[in-house]
PDB file of all heavy atoms in Angstrom:
ATOM      1  N   SER A 141       1.368  28.522  38.970  1.00  0.00           N
ATOM      2  CA  SER A 141       1.677  29.218  40.093  1.00  0.00           C
ATOM      3  C   SER A 141       3.199  29.091  40.415  1.00  0.00           C
ATOM      4  O   SER A 141       3.704  30.081  41.041  1.00  0.00           O
ATOM      5  CB  SER A 141       0.831  28.665  41.251  1.00  0.00           C
ATOM      6  OG  SER A 141       1.115  27.207  41.426  1.00  0.00           O
ATOM      7  N   SER A 142       3.851  27.961  40.297  1.00  0.00           N
ATOM      8  CA  SER A 142       5.200  27.803  40.597  1.00  0.00           C
ATOM      9  C   SER A 142       6.066  28.717  39.681  1.00  0.00           C
ATOM     10  O   SER A 142       7.002  29.353  40.077  1.00  0.00           O
ATOM     11  CB  SER A 142       5.663  26.434  40.436  1.00  0.00           C
ATOM     12  OG  SER A 142       5.521  25.959  39.031  1.00  0.00           O
ATOM     13  N   ALA A 143       5.672  28.925  38.396  1.00  0.00           N
ATOM     14  CA  ALA A 143       6.483  29.673  37.514  1.00  0.00           C
ATOM     15  C   ALA A 143       6.164  31.178  37.940  1.00  0.00           C
ATOM     16  O   ALA A 143       7.123  31.967  37.739  1.00  0.00           O
ATOM     17  CB  ALA A 143       5.899  29.540  36.073  1.00  0.00           C
ATOM     18  N   ALA A 144       5.120  31.504  38.284  1.00  0.00           N
ATOM     19  CA  ALA A 144       4.769  32.880  38.635  1.00  0.00           C
ATOM     20  C   ALA A 144       5.393  33.304  39.900  1.00  0.00           C
ATOM     21  O   ALA A 144       5.947  34.476  40.143  1.00  0.00           O
ATOM     22  CB  ALA A 144       3.214  33.034  38.778  1.00  0.00           C
ATOM     23  N   SER A 145       5.649  32.410  40.850  1.00  0.00           N
ATOM     24  CA  SER A 145       6.206  32.695  42.156  1.00  0.00           C
ATOM     25  C   SER A 145       7.703  32.664  42.190  1.00  0.00           C
ATOM     26  O   SER A 145       8.434  33.296  42.995  1.00  0.00           O
ATOM     27  CB  SER A 145       5.626  31.883  43.305  1.00  0.00           C
ATOM     28  OG  SER A 145       5.934  30.475  43.103  1.00  0.00           O
ATOM     29  N   ALA A 146       8.277  31.766  41.325  1.00  0.00           N
ATOM     30  CA  ALA A 146       9.713  31.547  41.325  1.00  0.00           C
ATOM     31  C   ALA A 146      10.556  32.756  41.138  1.00  0.00           C
ATOM     32  O   ALA A 146      11.635  32.841  41.752  1.00  0.00           O
ATOM     33  CB  ALA A 146      10.096  30.438  40.380  1.00  0.00           C
ATOM     34  N   PRO A 147      10.168  33.676  40.289  1.00  0.00           N
ATOM     35  CA  PRO A 147      11.126  34.853  39.999  1.00  0.00           C
ATOM     36  C   PRO A 147      11.544  35.600  41.403  1.00  0.00           C
ATOM     37  O   PRO A 147      12.658  35.941  41.622  1.00  0.00           O
ATOM     38  CB  PRO A 147      10.340  35.762  39.104  1.00  0.00           C
ATOM     39  CG  PRO A 147       9.528  34.872  38.412  1.00  0.00           C
ATOM     40  CD  PRO A 147       9.042  33.897  39.305  1.00  0.00           C
ATOM     41  N   GLN A 148      10.535  35.819  42.306  1.00  0.00           N
ATOM     42  CA  GLN A 148      10.778  36.408  43.595  1.00  0.00           C
ATOM     43  C   GLN A 148      11.656  35.527  44.464  1.00  0.00           C
ATOM     44  O   GLN A 148      12.660  36.027  45.109  1.00  0.00           O
ATOM     45  CB  GLN A 148       9.511  36.683  44.295  1.00  0.00           C
ATOM     46  CG  GLN A 148       8.716  37.873  43.738  1.00  0.00           C
ATOM     47  CD  GLN A 148       7.997  37.565  42.390  1.00  0.00           C
ATOM     48  OE1 GLN A 148       7.734  36.327  42.253  1.00  0.00           O
ATOM     49  NE2 GLN A 148       7.810  38.454  41.489  1.00  0.00           N
ATOM     50  N   GLN A 149      11.578  34.211  44.350  1.00  0.00           N
ATOM     51  CA  GLN A 149      12.488  33.332  45.082  1.00  0.00           C
ATOM     52  C   GLN A 149      13.775  33.330  44.642  1.00  0.00           C
ATOM     53  O   GLN A 149      14.788  33.477  45.491  1.00  0.00           O
ATOM     54  CB  GLN A 149      11.909  31.911  44.876  1.00  0.00           C
ATOM     55  CG  GLN A 149      10.361  31.727  45.523  1.00  0.00           C
ATOM     56  CD  GLN A 149       9.907  30.348  45.161  1.00  0.00           C
ATOM     57  OE1 GLN A 149      10.327  29.673  44.389  1.00  0.00           O
ATOM     58  NE2 GLN A 149       8.779  30.029  45.910  1.00  0.00           N
ATOM     59  N   VAL A 150      14.025  33.440  43.263  1.00  0.00           N
ATOM     60  CA  VAL A 150      15.403  33.444  42.677  1.00  0.00           C
ATOM     61  C   VAL A 150      16.101  34.805  43.037  1.00  0.00           C
ATOM     62  O   VAL A 150      17.177  34.952  43.356  1.00  0.00           O
ATOM     63  CB  VAL A 150      15.394  33.146  41.274  1.00  0.00           C
ATOM     64  CG1 VAL A 150      16.855  33.349  40.583  1.00  0.00           C
ATOM     65  CG2 VAL A 150      14.941  31.724  40.914  1.00  0.00           C
ATOM     66  N   MET A 151      15.219  35.890  42.952  1.00  0.00           N
ATOM     67  CA  MET A 151      15.783  37.213  43.229  1.00  0.00           C
ATOM     68  C   MET A 151      16.370  37.279  44.603  1.00  0.00           C
ATOM     69  O   MET A 151      17.386  37.889  44.960  1.00  0.00           O
ATOM     70  CB  MET A 151      14.778  38.328  43.072  1.00  0.00           C
ATOM     71  CG  MET A 151      14.269  38.570  41.585  1.00  0.00           C
ATOM     72  SD  MET A 151      15.480  39.350  40.667  1.00  0.00           S
ATOM     73  CE  MET A 151      15.451  41.030  41.332  1.00  0.00           C
ATOM     74  N   PRO A 184      14.050  36.449  35.815  1.00  0.00           N
ATOM     75  CA  PRO A 184      14.556  37.767  36.468  1.00  0.00           C
ATOM     76  C   PRO A 184      15.852  38.113  35.846  1.00  0.00           C
ATOM     77  O   PRO A 184      16.626  37.328  35.337  1.00  0.00           O
ATOM     78  CB  PRO A 184      14.651  37.261  37.923  1.00  0.00           C
ATOM     79  CG  PRO A 184      14.702  35.856  37.924  1.00  0.00           C
ATOM     80  CD  PRO A 184      13.970  35.401  36.783  1.00  0.00           C
ATOM     81  N   ALA A 339      10.101  27.470  32.845  1.00  0.00           N
ATOM     82  CA  ALA A 339      10.754  28.636  33.603  1.00  0.00           C
ATOM     83  C   ALA A 339      10.731  28.384  35.211  1.00  0.00           C
ATOM     84  O   ALA A 339      11.543  28.535  35.933  1.00  0.00           O
ATOM     85  CB  ALA A 339      10.136  29.937  33.321  1.00  0.00           C
ATOM     86  N   GLY A 340       9.464  27.967  35.593  1.00  0.00           N
ATOM     87  CA  GLY A 340       9.350  27.724  37.047  1.00  0.00           C
ATOM     88  C   GLY A 340      10.268  26.475  37.542  1.00  0.00           C
ATOM     89  O   GLY A 340      10.721  26.610  38.591  1.00  0.00           O
ATOM     90  N   VAL A 341      10.279  25.532  36.677  1.00  0.00           N
ATOM     91  CA  VAL A 341      11.102  24.379  37.030  1.00  0.00           C
ATOM     92  C   VAL A 341      12.613  24.773  37.087  1.00  0.00           C
ATOM     93  O   VAL A 341      13.270  24.340  38.111  1.00  0.00           O
ATOM     94  CB  VAL A 341      11.015  23.247  36.011  1.00  0.00           C
ATOM     95  CG1 VAL A 341      11.839  22.136  36.283  1.00  0.00           C
ATOM     96  CG2 VAL A 341       9.551  22.633  36.022  1.00  0.00           C
ATOM     97  N   MET A 343      13.808  27.709  37.806  1.00  0.00           N
ATOM     98  CA  MET A 343      13.972  28.626  38.930  1.00  0.00           C
ATOM     99  C   MET A 343      14.019  27.924  40.310  1.00  0.00           C
ATOM    100  O   MET A 343      14.614  28.205  41.232  1.00  0.00           O
ATOM    101  CB  MET A 343      13.045  29.793  38.854  1.00  0.00           C
ATOM    102  CG  MET A 343      13.516  30.794  37.769  1.00  0.00           C
ATOM    103  SD  MET A 343      12.427  32.275  37.600  1.00  0.00           S
ATOM    104  CE  MET A 343      10.926  31.611  36.841  1.00  0.00           C
ATOM    105  N   GLU A 344      12.964  26.883  40.343  1.00  0.00           N
ATOM    106  CA  GLU A 344      12.913  26.088  41.446  1.00  0.00           C
ATOM    107  C   GLU A 344      14.229  25.341  41.719  1.00  0.00           C
ATOM    108  O   GLU A 344      14.725  25.234  42.921  1.00  0.00           O
ATOM    109  CB  GLU A 344      11.734  25.090  41.390  1.00  0.00           C
ATOM    110  CG  GLU A 344      11.384  24.403  42.702  1.00  0.00           C
ATOM    111  CD  GLU A 344      10.775  25.254  43.740  1.00  0.00           C
ATOM    112  OE1 GLU A 344      10.261  26.278  43.384  1.00  0.00           O
ATOM    113  OE2 GLU A 344      10.978  24.883  44.954  1.00  0.00           O
ATOM    114  N   ARG A 347      16.847  27.596  43.054  1.00  0.00           N
ATOM    115  CA  ARG A 347      16.542  27.857  44.403  1.00  0.00           C
ATOM    116  C   ARG A 347      17.076  26.710  45.362  1.00  0.00           C
ATOM    117  O   ARG A 347      17.664  27.086  46.388  1.00  0.00           O
ATOM    118  CB  ARG A 347      15.045  28.060  44.715  1.00  0.00           C
ATOM    119  CG  ARG A 347      14.757  28.667  46.016  1.00  0.00           C
ATOM    120  CD  ARG A 347      13.357  28.966  46.110  1.00  0.00           C
ATOM    121  NE  ARG A 347      12.431  27.778  46.098  1.00  0.00           N
ATOM    122  CZ  ARG A 347      12.126  27.115  47.219  1.00  0.00           C
ATOM    123  NH1 ARG A 347      12.482  27.626  48.424  1.00  0.00           N
ATOM    124  NH2 ARG A 347      11.413  26.086  47.220  1.00  0.00           N
TER     125      ARG A 347
END
Side-chain angles (χ1 to χ4, degrees):
S141 57
S142 63
S145 63
Q148 287 73 28
Q149 296 170 344
V150 175
M151 289 292 284
V341 174
M343 291 183 281
E344 190 67 29
R347 190 172 70 89

